[in-house]
């Protein structure tokens, strides 16, 4: 995946629903990121069309590490606001369980795209206007590059971790009296 770029984004609506479902925006249109780039509406349309035609999927990775898939994106769509994603952490794998626990605790709350630039224009400020991108993956990350809103990550960690956390909380309440 030589030449792959990444864009970090702290979406305003990342939320973990009951269990391990994640929703949010992996990219927002028309906003300068910390690198000076701005993704334009329509930037993902051709790439998403090619992925769909080939029967493929955008991958969900941990911190852009190709060796650490942590879930699946069930829906990746471009709307008027940006690149909206909905997916599931796979709590059957160790890193998926860790990611779920970290999100539930609020320690990790960012999304980031991995892509190749197909078409861009220079901005007077020195950055780029990203017009067409080839989307490869969307990662859960600690430090997003586009922090345009607060993140809400609310849910109990699923599976054994959630049960363990609930037991600790019950014990804490019992000791408090």
């Amino acid at each position: 995946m030589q030449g792959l770029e990444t864009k970090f984004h702290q979406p305003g609506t990342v939320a973990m629903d009951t269990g391990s479902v994640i929703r949010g925006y992996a990219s927002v249109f028309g906003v300068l990121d910390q690198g000076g780039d701005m993704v334009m509406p329509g930037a993902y349309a051709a790439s998403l069309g090619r992925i769909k035609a080939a029967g493929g999927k955008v991958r969900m990775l941990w911190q852009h590490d190709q060796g650490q898939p942590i879930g699946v994106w069930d829906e990746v769509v471009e709307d008027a606001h940006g690149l909206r994603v909905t997916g599931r952490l796979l709590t059957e794998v160790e890193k998926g369980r860790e990611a779920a626990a970290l999100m539930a605790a609020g320690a990790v709350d960012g999304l980031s795209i991995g892509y190749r630039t197909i078409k861009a224009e220079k901005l007077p400020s020195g950055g780029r206007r990203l017009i067409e991108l080839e989307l490869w993956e969307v990662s859960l990350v600690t430090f997003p590059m586009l922090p345009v809103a607060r993140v809400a990550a609310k849910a109990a960690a699923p599976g054994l971790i959630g049960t363990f956390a609930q037991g600790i909380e019950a014990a804490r309440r019992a000791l408090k009296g």
Side-chain angles (χ1 to χ4, degrees):
M1 292 182 24
Q2 187 176 359
L4 188 67
E5 298 178 64
T6 59
K7 281 285 176 227
F8 298 96
H9 169 62
Q10 187 170 358
T13 58
V14 154
M16 221 166 65
D17 296 341
T18 56
S20 58
V21 175
I22 299 169
R23 302 174 196 277
Y25 280 90
S27 177
V28 174
F29 298 135
V31 178
L32 280 176
D33 67 20
Q34 294 177 25
D37 291 341
M38 179 187 306
V39 179
M40 303 307 295
Y44 302 102
S47 179
L48 291 174
R50 286 188 297 272
I51 292 167
K52 184 176 181 179
K57 283 194 168 233
V58 175
R59 303 297 182 205
M60 181 191 295
L61 302 180
W62 178 249
Q63 309 282 357
H64 296 294
D65 185 341
Q66 298 169 39
Q68 294 190 60
I70 57 168
V72 294
W73 292 116
D74 296 314
E75 182 180 48
V76 179
V77 296
E78 188 176 303
D79 65 17
H81 185 66
L83 186 68
R84 184 170 37 89
V85 295
T86 302
R88 295 168 283 127
L89 290 170
L90 297 178
T91 56
E92 298 83 3
V93 297
E94 183 178 351
K95 192 53 76 175
R97 286 190 300 276
E98 290 175 20
L102 290 166
M103 285 202 64
V108 172
D109 56 11
L111 292 173
S112 177
I113 59 172
Y115 65 97
R116 282 200 178 99
T117 301
I118 304 298
K119 184 177 179 186
E121 298 172 346
K122 291 246 183 220
L123 290 170
S125 59
R128 301 174 297 171
R129 183 176 291 114
L130 302 174
I131 298 167
E132 185 180 348
L133 302 174
E134 180 184 1
L135 184 64
W136 281 74
E137 53 94 3
V138 176
S139 286
L140 286 166
V141 296
T142 307
F143 297 107
M145 188 180 252
L146 185 59
V148 295
R150 289 195 165 143
V151 173
K154 299 174 184 171
L160 292 175
I161 294 171
T163 303
F164 181 67
Q166 290 170 355
I168 289 174
E169 181 60 24
R172 186 187 65 76
R173 282 193 308 269
L175 287 172
K176 238 180 165 179

